[in-house]
Amino acid sequence: MNLAGKKILLGVSGGIAVYKSCELLRLLQKKGAEVRVCMTEAATEFVAPLTFASLSKCPVYLKNGAVEARPFQHIDFPRWADLYLVVPATANVIGKFACGIADDPVSLCFMSCTCPRVIAPAMNVAMYNSPAVKRNLEVLRGFESTTVLESPAGELACGEVGQGRLMEPAEIVEWLEANSPECHPGCEASGNHTVRTGTCKNGKYCAPAVPVGKDVPPTQDKTLPGYGKKVLLTAGRTEEAIDPVRYISNRSSGKTAVALASVFYANGFEVEVVAGPMEAAFPGGVKVTRVRSARDMHDAVMERLDQADAVVHCAAVADYRPAHAADAKIKDSRSQLTIELVPNPNILRDCTAARASRTGKEASRSQNAGASRNQNSSPKHQVIVGFALETDHFKEHAAEKLVKSGADALLLNAPVASDSGFGHDCVRYTLVRPGMDVPEMKMGGKVDLAQEIVGFVIDKLRV
Ligand SMILES: Cc1cc2nc3c(=O)[nH]c(=O)nc-3n(C[C@H](O)[C@H](O)[C@H](O)COP(=O)(O)O)c2cc1C
């Protein structure tokens, strides 16, 4: 399972190993997963919920709630999740899962989630070998969409030796990456899932996993809506040289572009990316060309433009660059330094202009060929989506930018909240379309944002 973009609900119950789930949370985030947490009351005695809330950047679902928590977390969290991980799972919650008791957040989420569930037991060896725990684990192994991880033998926190240790967080991550926990029954992707893109008869549709590794071909599944279509993405930020060691740039991490590349791939598109510097890594199956400056990105995009059915301009391109980049490092003279800035090319506008001129030429060519009698000969519409990042007067600025850009839609986003935007998994956004009121901004994951754009592109290509 590719963890990038995965939404993981982490259920924490009250054993001595609770501190290890903090490490697990961090490791999952490092792999690109978004994590939310629910805890039993006993778990909060071992590690304060504040730790998990701070690490996950989201209120923890607790028995008595928290002031800032959402009112329907017992439904919200399990519905949101692609995977429910219970780490550590105490003998007590294991018993509840097996018997259908749901009187705390961890067991309630177990009952109400429809995604795959993975349980990592941790307890004293005598408890682990007790007939009740043995039977309950056996019952859980028989549940659909439920995996019980093997508890390794070794020295336990209580000083005794035997089976009952928690699988190490790094091993749990390794296991998740190597396996695809079973999805809901009847899922056509038969457990091979990464990104949800719609609904199937069981309430969820799981697209094929995005493979990891180089030179992975596009998916050959002809039933996917993007089959046979090519999308060109721009990603990351640009760096505009001041001298050989200094540059002007911004804080874009590239996470949104990675989410977009994954969702496009999962929908069958051939994905090509022109990427500036960025931290987030692309999955396999995505062709990436690296560039540094806005002008390099412009040239690379224009070269590839004609082959694309859709173009999504996700990169945070510097609007300006220094008029002259010094050949040698500028010396520190402690006196005022003024850098003259000149505008960079506007990649989005140049793409829509190129599309307009190409469409015009194609139309007149087909007219000259007398193809106007043939209804199937109208030139195909290349879909172009831009991004607008605003910090004030969102609606006015986005509406104006959309008209000026000539794009089919503009993704308006605002990294103004301390917990969203650059480098985070959440963002405030809305999709702006020509001739329509600008919808209210909403808070969502970058994968949600990507799904909205991919859905829009698919609809447009069908027209
Ligand atoms: C110091 C201490 C450590 C404990 N460690 C474990 C453990 O590792 N596994 C376990 O199943 N129970 C353990 N327990 C017992 C549970 O905390 C207890 O059964 C509790 O009711 C579990 O609640 P919960 O399942 O709702 O989180 C421990 C208790 C204490 C006081």
Side-chain angles (χ1 to χ4, degrees):
M1 174 197 288
N2 178 4
L3 292 168
K6 269 268 182 243
K7 294 173 180 172
I8 298 180
L9 178 60
L10 179 60
V12 185
S13 57
I16 194 73
V18 171
Y19 70 96
K20 291 195 175 176
S21 25
C22 302
E23 191 192 339
L24 176 63
L25 192 162
R26 298 289 291 147
L27 291 177
L28 292 169
Q29 287 175 328
K30 277 190 189 154
K31 295 287 179 184
E34 193 182 342
V35 185
R36 291 184 183 173
V37 179
C38 60
M39 297 175 82
T40 63
E41 217 167 357
T44 66
E45 300 283 331
F46 290 89
V47 174
L50 183 59
T51 305
F52 286 102
S54 308
L55 293 175
S56 66
K57 302 180 185 71
C58 184
V60 173
Y61 169 30
L62 301 167
K63 184 177 180 202
N64 298 319
V67 181
E68 76 278 22
R70 301 143 71 121
F72 291 102
Q73 278 174 313
H74 68 294
I75 301 293
D76 259 13
F77 273 29
R79 292 283 184 280
W80 164 88
D82 296 316
L83 178 72
Y84 183 35
L85 264 182
V86 184
V87 182
T90 57
N92 186 46
V93 291
I94 287 168
K96 289 188 197 178
F97 297 165
C99 300
I101 297 169
D103 63 353
D104 68 79
V106 174
S107 55
L108 200 45
C109 285
F110 183 86
M111 192 172 276
S112 57
C113 75
T114 52
C115 59
R117 305 175 282 207
V118 175
I119 294 158
M123 65 200 72
N124 166 274
V125 57
M127 292 169 77
Y128 192 80
N129 288 325
S130 72
V133 170
K134 274 187 171 172
R135 180 200 57 206
N136 290 337
L137 287 176
E138 218 31 63
V139 169
L140 291 183
R141 286 189 186 102
F143 278 12
E144 271 162 353
S145 312
T146 305
T147 306
V148 177
L149 294 180
E150 200 54 36
S151 171
E155 192 177 344
L156 302 164
C158 55
E160 293 178 25
V161 175
Q163 206 169 358
R165 279 171 60 83
L166 180 70
M167 203 186 219
E168 286 302 321
E171 285 168 7
I172 294 177
V173 171
E174 216 173 284
W175 185 90
L176 289 171
E177 286 187 311
N179 292 276
S180 281
E182 192 199 332
C183 188
H184 53 88
C187 174
E188 281 135 31
S190 52
N192 188 14
H193 52 276
T194 308
V195 192
R196 279 180 301 168
T197 53
T199 54
C200 70
K201 55 184 183 290
N202 291 303
K204 280 188 179 182
Y205 172 80
C206 297
V210 180
V212 181
K214 286 192 169 151
D215 304 325
V216 182
T219 166
Q220 294 304 309
D221 184 347
K222 293 184 180 168
T223 61
L224 290 172
Y227 177 78
K229 303 274 184 227
K230 182 166 182 175
V231 65
L232 178 64
L233 306 178
T234 66
R237 51 188 181 262
T238 62
E239 291 176 357
E240 311 300 325
I242 297 171
D243 68 18
V245 290
R246 304 180 179 99
Y247 55 80
I248 295 172
S249 192
N250 58 63
R251 291 160 55 209
S252 172
S253 67
K255 279 188 171 185
T256 302
V258 170
L260 270 168
S262 304
V263 180
F264 270 116
Y265 181 91
N267 279 280
F269 284 81
E270 182 185 344
V271 185
E272 178 155 19
V273 187
V274 175
M278 55 189 273
E279 280 74 43
F282 286 101
V286 173
K287 187 173 173 197
V288 185
T289 301
R290 298 282 172 186
V291 294
R292 194 159 285 278
S293 71
R295 283 182 296 176
D296 294 345
M297 185 173 280
H298 177 272
D299 294 349
V301 169
M302 299 318 278
E303 249 173 54
R304 292 161 176 76
L305 191 62
D306 284 358
Q307 292 91 53
D309 296 287
V311 191
V312 180
H313 295 266
C314 179
V317 182
D319 295 328
Y320 294 93
R321 68 176 185 277
H324 308 286
D327 290 335
K329 187 180 167 211
I330 298 171
K331 293 279 171 276
D332 172 17
S333 61
R334 291 294 135 173
S335 55
Q336 191 173 329
L337 175 69
T338 303
I339 298 173
E340 187 194 346
L341 298 178
V342 293
N344 268 326
N346 187 320
I347 306 177
L348 174 59
R349 276 196 226 169
D350 286 355
C351 283
T352 56
R355 175 180 69 178
S357 113
R358 196 171 53 244
T359 311
K361 278 185 203 152
E362 280 173 24
S364 70
R365 218 178 297 132
S366 26
Q367 251 180 358
N368 291 342
S372 51
R373 288 186 297 277
N374 180 355
Q375 294 200 334
N376 293 328
S377 66
S378 59
K380 67 175 181 182
H381 181 76
Q382 183 184 54
V383 183
I384 300 184
V385 179
F387 267 62
L389 185 139
E390 301 291 345
T391 53
D392 64 344
H393 299 96
F394 307 107
K395 292 188 173 185
E396 295 85 335
H397 289 167
E400 192 186 325
K401 187 169 178 187
L402 177 61
V403 172
K404 279 189 182 162
S405 70
D408 295 295
L410 210 58
L411 196 287
L412 166 64
N413 64 120
V416 286
S418 62
D419 63 344
S420 68
F422 291 119
H424 289 285
D425 298 317
C426 289
V427 64
R428 279 176 70 202
Y429 72 96
T430 192
L431 193 64
V432 189
R433 296 156 208 226
M436 290 167 75
D437 287 344
V438 178
E440 287 305 321
M441 305 252 280
K442 58 196 167 204
M443 187 74 128
K446 289 182 174 173
V447 175
D448 299 324
L449 175 160
Q451 285 179 188
E452 199 161 331
I453 292 178
V454 175
F456 172 81
V457 169
I458 289 169
D459 287 347
K460 271 281 189 196
L461 287 173
R462 276 201 194 110
V463 174

